[in-house]
Amino acid sequence: MTVLTLRPLTTAVPFFLGLTLIAAFSSASSLCVQAQTPPQAQEPADVDVVRVSTSLVTVPVSVTDSRGRFIPDLSQEQFHLYENGTEQEIAFFDNAEKPFAVALLLDTSSSTKFKLKEIQDAAVAFVQQLRPDDRVIIVAFDKEVRILAELTNDRRVLVEAIQHAETGGRTSLYNAVDVTVTKRLSRIRGRKAIVLFTDGVDTAANAGATYQSTLRAAEELDALVYAISYNTYEDATKEARTLTIGPTPYTNLRTANGERLDVAYARADRYLHLLTDKSGGRFFYAATLDHLTEIFTLIAKELREQYSVGFYPKNQDPDAGKRLIKVSVTAPGVEVRARRSYLYKPSPNNPVK
């Protein structure tokens, strides 16, 4: 049996990733977002949003030792945060015991047709490992994006939602990320994360959300993104060859929407790495689905072991733009992981004069 490969953000990826990456392409037609809410699913709370677009900037932070074990009981005084090289005063500090809001995004496109049961079992195991107060929203996407369960901590509702997921059609990945970020998590206050299970290839060709727009949206949101990339390249190659006549050069193999296969997969890998890198989350590569539950277990554990720090930027320049962030911790032998930038927007309630 093939052993599952867990790879950190900087780990090498499959052989086709050495091919030239190209710019993301825009989609061509609109996408319908359908809500399919099982009984007793709860609507997201209508609360004020705490985002990088407000005056308070919040940054989730993971602190581990050299063996990857979480370091608890750190104090606010041990954290130091810098924006564009200038140290900021920490105005908000949260320990690791606060609940999370988690968006679980499941790729249910045609490429998962024979793997859906394994995906559902692993997703259920992930939900069951979260704390009782952690809330989850379930999003499934193929050619359409479906909200199977709104944000709730009712495990029965969540399990039923996962079990109702069905496969079919192309992959509306960018629209799924956009809907989750802009129409769901942007309304939620406090700790939040996205757990995305997909091969990363968007084949829906729909207008609206794009590669670049969703990366920007993720960078604006104060949420961690965990991406689990599973391998569908061999299946896609076999399918592409069945659609051609005679011998086909490797570079002529195409996806369902006509894009070169090697280019599509190279861009997909780059996209998932950027999502996790910009948010301070983690990237996992699943060579097989045999140990998918193990990956979900690692993510659930890490979500329970987070700090959160916030600051009001000293630089109140009214021009919006990207600013670099660095977080350090005064403690021996620690490794710190946090987002490395954010998009600054002056607060509309406190404009710069």
Side-chain angles (χ1 to χ4, degrees), residues 52 54-57 59 80-89 311-317 319 321-327 340-345:
V52 294
T54 66
S55 55
L56 178 69
V57 180
V59 183
H80 302 274
L81 193 151
Y82 303 84
E83 179 195 85
N84 288 344
T86 300
E87 185 165 8
Q88 308 291 309
E89 179 180 353
F311 69 101
Y312 294 95
K314 292 181 179 179
N315 179 5
Q316 292 293 308
D317 190 318
D319 293 332
K322 184 174 182 177
R323 296 184 178 183
L324 302 180
I325 292 177
K326 179 181 178 181
V327 180
R340 294 185 289 188
S341 65
Y342 77 101
L343 296 178
Y344 172 76
K345 294 181 182 178

PDB file of all heavy atoms in Angstrom, residues 52 54-57 59 80-89 311-317 319 321-327 340-345:
ATOM      1  N   VAL A  52      -8.549  42.491   8.902  1.00  0.00           N
ATOM      2  CA  VAL A  52      -7.457  43.406   8.612  1.00  0.00           C
ATOM      3  C   VAL A  52      -7.948  44.656   7.918  1.00  0.00           C
ATOM      4  O   VAL A  52      -7.199  45.596   7.741  1.00  0.00           O
ATOM      5  CB  VAL A  52      -6.374  42.713   7.761  1.00  0.00           C
ATOM      6  CG1 VAL A  52      -5.703  41.619   8.541  1.00  0.00           C
ATOM      7  CG2 VAL A  52      -6.942  42.192   6.469  1.00  0.00           C
ATOM      8  N   THR A  54     -10.248  46.482   9.202  1.00  0.00           N
ATOM      9  CA  THR A  54     -10.594  47.393  10.277  1.00  0.00           C
ATOM     10  C   THR A  54      -9.303  47.896  10.902  1.00  0.00           C
ATOM     11  O   THR A  54      -8.207  47.511  10.522  1.00  0.00           O
ATOM     12  CB  THR A  54     -11.443  46.678  11.341  1.00  0.00           C
ATOM     13  OG1 THR A  54     -10.651  45.680  11.979  1.00  0.00           O
ATOM     14  CG2 THR A  54     -12.664  46.025  10.723  1.00  0.00           C
ATOM     15  N   SER A  55      -9.428  48.768  11.923  1.00  0.00           N
ATOM     16  CA  SER A  55      -8.225  49.344  12.521  1.00  0.00           C
ATOM     17  C   SER A  55      -7.445  48.317  13.333  1.00  0.00           C
ATOM     18  O   SER A  55      -6.238  48.443  13.492  1.00  0.00           O
ATOM     19  CB  SER A  55      -8.606  50.540  13.400  1.00  0.00           C
ATOM     20  OG  SER A  55      -9.575  50.152  14.357  1.00  0.00           O
ATOM     21  N   LEU A  56      -8.126  47.297  13.878  1.00  0.00           N
ATOM     22  CA  LEU A  56      -7.429  46.254  14.612  1.00  0.00           C
ATOM     23  C   LEU A  56      -7.030  45.130  13.666  1.00  0.00           C
ATOM     24  O   LEU A  56      -7.854  44.576  12.960  1.00  0.00           O
ATOM     25  CB  LEU A  56      -8.318  45.685  15.722  1.00  0.00           C
ATOM     26  CG  LEU A  56      -7.700  44.534  16.529  1.00  0.00           C
ATOM     27  CD1 LEU A  56      -6.547  45.043  17.380  1.00  0.00           C
ATOM     28  CD2 LEU A  56      -8.750  43.853  17.392  1.00  0.00           C
ATOM     29  N   VAL A  57      -5.763  44.794  13.655  1.00  0.00           N
ATOM     30  CA  VAL A  57      -5.257  43.699  12.829  1.00  0.00           C
ATOM     31  C   VAL A  57      -4.996  42.511  13.741  1.00  0.00           C
ATOM     32  O   VAL A  57      -4.227  42.611  14.700  1.00  0.00           O
ATOM     33  CB  VAL A  57      -3.945  44.092  12.107  1.00  0.00           C
ATOM     34  CG1 VAL A  57      -3.441  42.945  11.248  1.00  0.00           C
ATOM     35  CG2 VAL A  57      -4.155  45.336  11.271  1.00  0.00           C
ATOM     36  N   VAL A  59      -3.732  38.471  14.197  1.00  0.00           N
ATOM     37  CA  VAL A  59      -2.814  37.527  13.556  1.00  0.00           C
ATOM     38  C   VAL A  59      -2.809  36.210  14.334  1.00  0.00           C
ATOM     39  O   VAL A  59      -2.353  36.174  15.479  1.00  0.00           O
ATOM     40  CB  VAL A  59      -1.378  38.095  13.506  1.00  0.00           C
ATOM     41  CG1 VAL A  59      -0.446  37.140  12.762  1.00  0.00           C
ATOM     42  CG2 VAL A  59      -1.355  39.479  12.883  1.00  0.00           C
ATOM     43  N   HIS A  80       6.384  39.459  20.217  1.00  0.00           N
ATOM     44  CA  HIS A  80       6.799  40.721  19.599  1.00  0.00           C
ATOM     45  C   HIS A  80       6.334  40.704  18.146  1.00  0.00           C
ATOM     46  O   HIS A  80       6.561  39.726  17.430  1.00  0.00           O
ATOM     47  CB  HIS A  80       8.313  40.904  19.670  1.00  0.00           C
ATOM     48  CG  HIS A  80       8.843  40.882  21.065  1.00  0.00           C
ATOM     49  ND1 HIS A  80       8.889  41.990  21.872  1.00  0.00           N
ATOM     50  CD2 HIS A  80       9.330  39.848  21.819  1.00  0.00           C
ATOM     51  CE1 HIS A  80       9.390  41.665  23.055  1.00  0.00           C
ATOM     52  NE2 HIS A  80       9.661  40.360  23.054  1.00  0.00           N
ATOM     53  N   LEU A  81       5.683  41.772  17.749  1.00  0.00           N
ATOM     54  CA  LEU A  81       5.100  41.829  16.407  1.00  0.00           C
ATOM     55  C   LEU A  81       5.601  43.068  15.675  1.00  0.00           C
ATOM     56  O   LEU A  81       5.619  44.177  16.231  1.00  0.00           O
ATOM     57  CB  LEU A  81       3.574  41.838  16.514  1.00  0.00           C
ATOM     58  CG  LEU A  81       2.782  41.602  15.238  1.00  0.00           C
ATOM     59  CD1 LEU A  81       1.450  40.941  15.550  1.00  0.00           C
ATOM     60  CD2 LEU A  81       2.542  42.908  14.485  1.00  0.00           C
ATOM     61  N   TYR A  82       5.997  42.865  14.426  1.00  0.00           N
ATOM     62  CA  TYR A  82       6.574  43.948  13.626  1.00  0.00           C
ATOM     63  C   TYR A  82       5.781  44.116  12.330  1.00  0.00           C
ATOM     64  O   TYR A  82       5.409  43.133  11.680  1.00  0.00           O
ATOM     65  CB  TYR A  82       8.034  43.644  13.286  1.00  0.00           C
ATOM     66  CG  TYR A  82       8.905  43.419  14.491  1.00  0.00           C
ATOM     67  CD1 TYR A  82       8.969  42.163  15.109  1.00  0.00           C
ATOM     68  CD2 TYR A  82       9.664  44.453  15.039  1.00  0.00           C
ATOM     69  CE1 TYR A  82       9.751  41.947  16.229  1.00  0.00           C
ATOM     70  CE2 TYR A  82      10.462  44.242  16.161  1.00  0.00           C
ATOM     71  CZ  TYR A  82      10.500  42.985  16.750  1.00  0.00           C
ATOM     72  OH  TYR A  82      11.285  42.774  17.856  1.00  0.00           O
ATOM     73  N   GLU A  83       5.539  45.364  11.977  1.00  0.00           N
ATOM     74  CA  GLU A  83       4.928  45.677  10.692  1.00  0.00           C
ATOM     75  C   GLU A  83       5.933  46.494   9.877  1.00  0.00           C
ATOM     76  O   GLU A  83       6.376  47.568  10.302  1.00  0.00           O
ATOM     77  CB  GLU A  83       3.648  46.491  10.879  1.00  0.00           C
ATOM     78  CG  GLU A  83       2.984  46.870   9.558  1.00  0.00           C
ATOM     79  CD  GLU A  83       1.956  47.953   9.718  1.00  0.00           C
ATOM     80  OE1 GLU A  83       2.341  49.148   9.696  1.00  0.00           O
ATOM     81  OE2 GLU A  83       0.767  47.614   9.856  1.00  0.00           O
ATOM     82  N   ASN A  84       6.305  45.953   8.725  1.00  0.00           N
ATOM     83  CA  ASN A  84       7.320  46.595   7.876  1.00  0.00           C
ATOM     84  C   ASN A  84       8.563  46.976   8.674  1.00  0.00           C
ATOM     85  O   ASN A  84       9.162  48.035   8.480  1.00  0.00           O
ATOM     86  CB  ASN A  84       6.749  47.838   7.182  1.00  0.00           C
ATOM     87  CG  ASN A  84       5.759  47.490   6.092  1.00  0.00           C
ATOM     88  OD1 ASN A  84       5.700  46.344   5.629  1.00  0.00           O
ATOM     89  ND2 ASN A  84       4.976  48.464   5.671  1.00  0.00           N
ATOM     90  N   GLY A  85       8.946  46.104   9.613  1.00  0.00           N
ATOM     91  CA  GLY A  85      10.169  46.301  10.384  1.00  0.00           C
ATOM     92  C   GLY A  85      10.016  47.126  11.642  1.00  0.00           C
ATOM     93  O   GLY A  85      10.954  47.215  12.437  1.00  0.00           O
ATOM     94  N   THR A  86       8.856  47.739  11.867  1.00  0.00           N
ATOM     95  CA  THR A  86       8.633  48.572  13.051  1.00  0.00           C
ATOM     96  C   THR A  86       7.816  47.796  14.072  1.00  0.00           C
ATOM     97  O   THR A  86       6.721  47.297  13.761  1.00  0.00           O
ATOM     98  CB  THR A  86       7.875  49.868  12.687  1.00  0.00           C
ATOM     99  OG1 THR A  86       8.639  50.607  11.734  1.00  0.00           O
ATOM    100  CG2 THR A  86       7.628  50.715  13.925  1.00  0.00           C
ATOM    101  N   GLU A  87       8.337  47.678  15.300  1.00  0.00           N
ATOM    102  CA  GLU A  87       7.607  46.920  16.314  1.00  0.00           C
ATOM    103  C   GLU A  87       6.318  47.628  16.691  1.00  0.00           C
ATOM    104  O   GLU A  87       6.273  48.851  16.834  1.00  0.00           O
ATOM    105  CB  GLU A  87       8.470  46.698  17.556  1.00  0.00           C
ATOM    106  CG  GLU A  87       7.785  45.807  18.597  1.00  0.00           C
ATOM    107  CD  GLU A  87       8.718  45.268  19.659  1.00  0.00           C
ATOM    108  OE1 GLU A  87       9.884  45.705  19.699  1.00  0.00           O
ATOM    109  OE2 GLU A  87       8.272  44.405  20.447  1.00  0.00           O
ATOM    110  N   GLN A  88       5.253  46.835  16.849  1.00  0.00           N
ATOM    111  CA  GLN A  88       3.931  47.352  17.179  1.00  0.00           C
ATOM    112  C   GLN A  88       3.567  46.977  18.617  1.00  0.00           C
ATOM    113  O   GLN A  88       4.008  45.962  19.143  1.00  0.00           O
ATOM    114  CB  GLN A  88       2.882  46.766  16.230  1.00  0.00           C
ATOM    115  CG  GLN A  88       3.207  46.912  14.759  1.00  0.00           C
ATOM    116  CD  GLN A  88       3.143  48.343  14.281  1.00  0.00           C
ATOM    117  OE1 GLN A  88       2.167  49.049  14.507  1.00  0.00           O
ATOM    118  NE2 GLN A  88       4.221  48.805  13.614  1.00  0.00           N
ATOM    119  N   GLU A  89       2.736  47.804  19.226  1.00  0.00           N
ATOM    120  CA  GLU A  89       2.247  47.477  20.567  1.00  0.00           C
ATOM    121  C   GLU A  89       1.114  46.460  20.440  1.00  0.00           C
ATOM    122  O   GLU A  89       0.162  46.670  19.685  1.00  0.00           O
ATOM    123  CB  GLU A  89       1.729  48.726  21.261  1.00  0.00           C
ATOM    124  CG  GLU A  89       1.187  48.459  22.655  1.00  0.00           C
ATOM    125  CD  GLU A  89       0.672  49.713  23.321  1.00  0.00           C
ATOM    126  OE1 GLU A  89       0.851  50.810  22.757  1.00  0.00           O
ATOM    127  OE2 GLU A  89       0.068  49.591  24.408  1.00  0.00           O
ATOM    128  N   PHE A 311      -3.044  44.162  16.875  1.00  0.00           N
ATOM    129  CA  PHE A 311      -2.410  45.468  17.055  1.00  0.00           C
ATOM    130  C   PHE A 311      -3.122  46.511  16.202  1.00  0.00           C
ATOM    131  O   PHE A 311      -3.789  46.193  15.209  1.00  0.00           O
ATOM    132  CB  PHE A 311      -0.925  45.415  16.686  1.00  0.00           C
ATOM    133  CG  PHE A 311      -0.671  45.228  15.203  1.00  0.00           C
ATOM    134  CD1 PHE A 311      -0.312  46.308  14.405  1.00  0.00           C
ATOM    135  CD2 PHE A 311      -0.785  43.979  14.607  1.00  0.00           C
ATOM    136  CE1 PHE A 311      -0.069  46.143  13.039  1.00  0.00           C
ATOM    137  CE2 PHE A 311      -0.547  43.803  13.251  1.00  0.00           C
ATOM    138  CZ  PHE A 311      -0.190  44.892  12.460  1.00  0.00           C
ATOM    139  N   TYR A 312      -2.981  47.769  16.630  1.00  0.00           N
ATOM    140  CA  TYR A 312      -3.450  48.894  15.843  1.00  0.00           C
ATOM    141  C   TYR A 312      -2.229  49.496  15.150  1.00  0.00           C
ATOM    142  O   TYR A 312      -1.299  49.966  15.819  1.00  0.00           O
ATOM    143  CB  TYR A 312      -4.114  49.938  16.742  1.00  0.00           C
ATOM    144  CG  TYR A 312      -5.383  49.449  17.396  1.00  0.00           C
ATOM    145  CD1 TYR A 312      -5.356  48.915  18.681  1.00  0.00           C
ATOM    146  CD2 TYR A 312      -6.595  49.505  16.721  1.00  0.00           C
ATOM    147  CE1 TYR A 312      -6.525  48.451  19.283  1.00  0.00           C
ATOM    148  CE2 TYR A 312      -7.760  49.042  17.305  1.00  0.00           C
ATOM    149  CZ  TYR A 312      -7.715  48.524  18.592  1.00  0.00           C
ATOM    150  OH  TYR A 312      -8.864  48.058  19.170  1.00  0.00           O
ATOM    151  N   PRO A 313      -2.167  49.471  13.833  1.00  0.00           N
ATOM    152  CA  PRO A 313      -0.952  49.910  13.125  1.00  0.00           C
ATOM    153  C   PRO A 313      -0.542  51.328  13.494  1.00  0.00           C
ATOM    154  O   PRO A 313      -1.365  52.246  13.515  1.00  0.00           O
ATOM    155  CB  PRO A 313      -1.368  49.829  11.647  1.00  0.00           C
ATOM    156  CG  PRO A 313      -2.480  48.834  11.614  1.00  0.00           C
ATOM    157  CD  PRO A 313      -3.215  49.010  12.901  1.00  0.00           C
ATOM    158  N   LYS A 314       0.740  51.491  13.793  1.00  0.00           N
ATOM    159  CA  LYS A 314       1.271  52.826  14.073  1.00  0.00           C
ATOM    160  C   LYS A 314       1.263  53.688  12.814  1.00  0.00           C
ATOM    161  O   LYS A 314       1.065  54.893  12.873  1.00  0.00           O
ATOM    162  CB  LYS A 314       2.697  52.711  14.615  1.00  0.00           C
ATOM    163  CG  LYS A 314       2.792  52.085  15.998  1.00  0.00           C
ATOM    164  CD  LYS A 314       4.248  52.025  16.466  1.00  0.00           C
ATOM    165  CE  LYS A 314       4.343  51.416  17.862  1.00  0.00           C
ATOM    166  NZ  LYS A 314       5.763  51.328  18.327  1.00  0.00           N
ATOM    167  N   ASN A 315       1.488  53.056  11.686  1.00  0.00           N
ATOM    168  CA  ASN A 315       1.477  53.763  10.409  1.00  0.00           C
ATOM    169  C   ASN A 315       0.036  53.923   9.946  1.00  0.00           C
ATOM    170  O   ASN A 315      -0.597  52.969   9.520  1.00  0.00           O
ATOM    171  CB  ASN A 315       2.291  52.985   9.376  1.00  0.00           C
ATOM    172  CG  ASN A 315       2.296  53.666   8.021  1.00  0.00           C
ATOM    173  OD1 ASN A 315       1.773  54.773   7.853  1.00  0.00           O
ATOM    174  ND2 ASN A 315       2.901  53.024   7.045  1.00  0.00           N
ATOM    175  N   GLN A 316      -0.507  55.123  10.048  1.00  0.00           N
ATOM    176  CA  GLN A 316      -1.893  55.395   9.676  1.00  0.00           C
ATOM    177  C   GLN A 316      -2.001  56.060   8.302  1.00  0.00           C
ATOM    178  O   GLN A 316      -2.932  56.807   8.022  1.00  0.00           O
ATOM    179  CB  GLN A 316      -2.545  56.283  10.730  1.00  0.00           C
ATOM    180  CG  GLN A 316      -2.739  55.605  12.069  1.00  0.00           C
ATOM    181  CD  GLN A 316      -3.761  54.484  12.001  1.00  0.00           C
ATOM    182  OE1 GLN A 316      -4.879  54.672  11.535  1.00  0.00           O
ATOM    183  NE2 GLN A 316      -3.371  53.305  12.475  1.00  0.00           N
ATOM    184  N   ASP A 317      -1.061  55.761   7.430  1.00  0.00           N
ATOM    185  CA  ASP A 317      -1.110  56.259   6.062  1.00  0.00           C
ATOM    186  C   ASP A 317      -2.450  55.861   5.441  1.00  0.00           C
ATOM    187  O   ASP A 317      -2.843  54.691   5.492  1.00  0.00           O
ATOM    188  CB  ASP A 317       0.044  55.651   5.258  1.00  0.00           C
ATOM    189  CG  ASP A 317       0.203  56.304   3.887  1.00  0.00           C
ATOM    190  OD1 ASP A 317      -0.819  56.563   3.236  1.00  0.00           O
ATOM    191  OD2 ASP A 317       1.350  56.532   3.476  1.00  0.00           O
ATOM    192  N   ASP A 319      -3.339  55.440   2.463  1.00  0.00           N
ATOM    193  CA  ASP A 319      -3.261  54.596   1.273  1.00  0.00           C
ATOM    194  C   ASP A 319      -3.299  53.129   1.665  1.00  0.00           C
ATOM    195  O   ASP A 319      -2.503  52.668   2.496  1.00  0.00           O
ATOM    196  CB  ASP A 319      -1.978  54.884   0.488  1.00  0.00           C
ATOM    197  CG  ASP A 319      -1.974  56.283  -0.108  1.00  0.00           C
ATOM    198  OD1 ASP A 319      -3.080  56.799  -0.382  1.00  0.00           O
ATOM    199  OD2 ASP A 319      -0.881  56.850  -0.287  1.00  0.00           O
ATOM    200  N   GLY A 321      -2.772  49.080   1.112  1.00  0.00           N
ATOM    201  CA  GLY A 321      -1.690  48.344   0.478  1.00  0.00           C
ATOM    202  C   GLY A 321      -1.200  47.189   1.322  1.00  0.00           C
ATOM    203  O   GLY A 321      -1.643  46.983   2.453  1.00  0.00           O
ATOM    204  N   LYS A 322      -0.281  46.430   0.757  1.00  0.00           N
ATOM    205  CA  LYS A 322       0.262  45.261   1.420  1.00  0.00           C
ATOM    206  C   LYS A 322       1.342  45.667   2.407  1.00  0.00           C
ATOM    207  O   LYS A 322       2.233  46.451   2.083  1.00  0.00           O
ATOM    208  CB  LYS A 322       0.841  44.305   0.374  1.00  0.00           C
ATOM    209  CG  LYS A 322       1.347  43.006   0.929  1.00  0.00           C
ATOM    210  CD  LYS A 322       1.765  42.085  -0.205  1.00  0.00           C
ATOM    211  CE  LYS A 322       2.246  40.732   0.304  1.00  0.00           C
ATOM    212  NZ  LYS A 322       2.581  39.820  -0.806  1.00  0.00           N
ATOM    213  N   ARG A 323       1.262  45.124   3.613  1.00  0.00           N
ATOM    214  CA  ARG A 323       2.272  45.383   4.634  1.00  0.00           C
ATOM    215  C   ARG A 323       2.803  44.053   5.167  1.00  0.00           C
ATOM    216  O   ARG A 323       2.045  43.101   5.357  1.00  0.00           O
ATOM    217  CB  ARG A 323       1.685  46.210   5.783  1.00  0.00           C
ATOM    218  CG  ARG A 323       1.240  47.607   5.348  1.00  0.00           C
ATOM    219  CD  ARG A 323       0.758  48.436   6.513  1.00  0.00           C
ATOM    220  NE  ARG A 323       0.373  49.776   6.094  1.00  0.00           N
ATOM    221  CZ  ARG A 323      -0.040  50.736   6.930  1.00  0.00           C
ATOM    222  NH1 ARG A 323      -0.119  50.477   8.242  1.00  0.00           N
ATOM    223  NH2 ARG A 323      -0.367  51.926   6.474  1.00  0.00           N
ATOM    224  N   LEU A 324       4.098  44.023   5.430  1.00  0.00           N
ATOM    225  CA  LEU A 324       4.746  42.811   5.907  1.00  0.00           C
ATOM    226  C   LEU A 324       4.596  42.681   7.415  1.00  0.00           C
ATOM    227  O   LEU A 324       4.621  43.669   8.146  1.00  0.00           O
ATOM    228  CB  LEU A 324       6.223  42.806   5.529  1.00  0.00           C
ATOM    229  CG  LEU A 324       6.541  42.910   4.033  1.00  0.00           C
ATOM    230  CD1 LEU A 324       8.044  42.901   3.801  1.00  0.00           C
ATOM    231  CD2 LEU A 324       5.872  41.773   3.263  1.00  0.00           C
ATOM    232  N   ILE A 325       4.448  41.432   7.872  1.00  0.00           N
ATOM    233  CA  ILE A 325       4.315  41.138   9.301  1.00  0.00           C
ATOM    234  C   ILE A 325       5.385  40.129   9.704  1.00  0.00           C
ATOM    235  O   ILE A 325       5.670  39.187   8.973  1.00  0.00           O
ATOM    236  CB  ILE A 325       2.930  40.540   9.623  1.00  0.00           C
ATOM    237  CG1 ILE A 325       1.828  41.565   9.424  1.00  0.00           C
ATOM    238  CG2 ILE A 325       2.869  40.022  11.061  1.00  0.00           C
ATOM    239  CD1 ILE A 325       0.444  40.997   9.662  1.00  0.00           C
ATOM    240  N   LYS A 326       5.936  40.329  10.891  1.00  0.00           N
ATOM    241  CA  LYS A 326       6.821  39.329  11.484  1.00  0.00           C
ATOM    242  C   LYS A 326       6.462  39.186  12.955  1.00  0.00           C
ATOM    243  O   LYS A 326       6.316  40.183  13.663  1.00  0.00           O
ATOM    244  CB  LYS A 326       8.291  39.730  11.340  1.00  0.00           C
ATOM    245  CG  LYS A 326       9.246  38.708  11.969  1.00  0.00           C
ATOM    246  CD  LYS A 326      10.694  39.130  11.836  1.00  0.00           C
ATOM    247  CE  LYS A 326      11.617  38.115  12.510  1.00  0.00           C
ATOM    248  NZ  LYS A 326      13.044  38.522  12.408  1.00  0.00           N
ATOM    249  N   VAL A 327       6.306  37.956  13.413  1.00  0.00           N
ATOM    250  CA  VAL A 327       6.016  37.673  14.818  1.00  0.00           C
ATOM    251  C   VAL A 327       7.162  36.859  15.391  1.00  0.00           C
ATOM    252  O   VAL A 327       7.580  35.852  14.806  1.00  0.00           O
ATOM    253  CB  VAL A 327       4.700  36.896  14.983  1.00  0.00           C
ATOM    254  CG1 VAL A 327       4.431  36.606  16.461  1.00  0.00           C
ATOM    255  CG2 VAL A 327       3.536  37.666  14.371  1.00  0.00           C
ATOM    256  N   ARG A 340       2.575  36.300   6.927  1.00  0.00           N
ATOM    257  CA  ARG A 340       3.717  37.181   6.723  1.00  0.00           C
ATOM    258  C   ARG A 340       3.356  38.536   6.127  1.00  0.00           C
ATOM    259  O   ARG A 340       4.218  39.389   5.948  1.00  0.00           O
ATOM    260  CB  ARG A 340       4.743  36.484   5.825  1.00  0.00           C
ATOM    261  CG  ARG A 340       5.350  35.264   6.498  1.00  0.00           C
ATOM    262  CD  ARG A 340       6.450  34.639   5.687  1.00  0.00           C
ATOM    263  NE  ARG A 340       5.947  33.978   4.493  1.00  0.00           N
ATOM    264  CZ  ARG A 340       6.684  33.223   3.692  1.00  0.00           C
ATOM    265  NH1 ARG A 340       7.964  33.042   3.973  1.00  0.00           N
ATOM    266  NH2 ARG A 340       6.168  32.643   2.634  1.00  0.00           N
ATOM    267  N   SER A 341       2.081  38.735   5.851  1.00  0.00           N
ATOM    268  CA  SER A 341       1.643  40.027   5.316  1.00  0.00           C
ATOM    269  C   SER A 341       0.145  40.164   5.497  1.00  0.00           C
ATOM    270  O   SER A 341      -0.561  39.198   5.807  1.00  0.00           O
ATOM    271  CB  SER A 341       2.016  40.154   3.838  1.00  0.00           C
ATOM    272  OG  SER A 341       1.300  39.200   3.057  1.00  0.00           O
ATOM    273  N   TYR A 342      -0.349  41.376   5.302  1.00  0.00           N
ATOM    274  CA  TYR A 342      -1.788  41.618   5.276  1.00  0.00           C
ATOM    275  C   TYR A 342      -2.047  42.827   4.391  1.00  0.00           C
ATOM    276  O   TYR A 342      -1.130  43.589   4.058  1.00  0.00           O
ATOM    277  CB  TYR A 342      -2.351  41.822   6.685  1.00  0.00           C
ATOM    278  CG  TYR A 342      -2.070  43.185   7.288  1.00  0.00           C
ATOM    279  CD1 TYR A 342      -3.056  44.177   7.307  1.00  0.00           C
ATOM    280  CD2 TYR A 342      -0.843  43.485   7.859  1.00  0.00           C
ATOM    281  CE1 TYR A 342      -2.808  45.419   7.865  1.00  0.00           C
ATOM    282  CE2 TYR A 342      -0.583  44.721   8.418  1.00  0.00           C
ATOM    283  CZ  TYR A 342      -1.575  45.695   8.418  1.00  0.00           C
ATOM    284  OH  TYR A 342      -1.323  46.933   8.969  1.00  0.00           O
ATOM    285  N   LEU A 343      -3.288  43.011   3.995  1.00  0.00           N
ATOM    286  CA  LEU A 343      -3.671  44.154   3.165  1.00  0.00           C
ATOM    287  C   LEU A 343      -4.301  45.204   4.059  1.00  0.00           C
ATOM    288  O   LEU A 343      -5.376  44.996   4.624  1.00  0.00           O
ATOM    289  CB  LEU A 343      -4.643  43.711   2.068  1.00  0.00           C
ATOM    290  CG  LEU A 343      -4.066  42.717   1.060  1.00  0.00           C
ATOM    291  CD1 LEU A 343      -5.134  42.304   0.060  1.00  0.00           C
ATOM    292  CD2 LEU A 343      -2.861  43.313   0.336  1.00  0.00           C
ATOM    293  N   TYR A 344      -3.632  46.321   4.179  1.00  0.00           N
ATOM    294  CA  TYR A 344      -4.091  47.387   5.071  1.00  0.00           C
ATOM    295  C   TYR A 344      -5.161  48.235   4.392  1.00  0.00           C
ATOM    296  O   TYR A 344      -5.028  48.640   3.236  1.00  0.00           O
ATOM    297  CB  TYR A 344      -2.924  48.277   5.475  1.00  0.00           C
ATOM    298  CG  TYR A 344      -3.344  49.517   6.242  1.00  0.00           C
ATOM    299  CD1 TYR A 344      -3.714  49.420   7.581  1.00  0.00           C
ATOM    300  CD2 TYR A 344      -3.378  50.763   5.618  1.00  0.00           C
ATOM    301  CE1 TYR A 344      -4.105  50.545   8.296  1.00  0.00           C
ATOM    302  CE2 TYR A 344      -3.772  51.892   6.325  1.00  0.00           C
ATOM    303  CZ  TYR A 344      -4.132  51.777   7.660  1.00  0.00           C
ATOM    304  OH  TYR A 344      -4.525  52.881   8.355  1.00  0.00           O
ATOM    305  N   LYS A 345      -6.261  48.478   5.128  1.00  0.00           N
ATOM    306  CA  LYS A 345      -7.289  49.413   4.694  1.00  0.00           C
ATOM    307  C   LYS A 345      -7.668  50.266   5.891  1.00  0.00           C
ATOM    308  O   LYS A 345      -8.004  49.728   6.937  1.00  0.00           O
ATOM    309  CB  LYS A 345      -8.521  48.654   4.186  1.00  0.00           C
ATOM    310  CG  LYS A 345      -8.296  47.835   2.926  1.00  0.00           C
ATOM    311  CD  LYS A 345      -9.587  47.166   2.522  1.00  0.00           C
ATOM    312  CE  LYS A 345      -9.379  46.295   1.292  1.00  0.00           C
ATOM    313  NZ  LYS A 345     -10.631  45.597   0.907  1.00  0.00           N
TER     314      LYS A 345
END
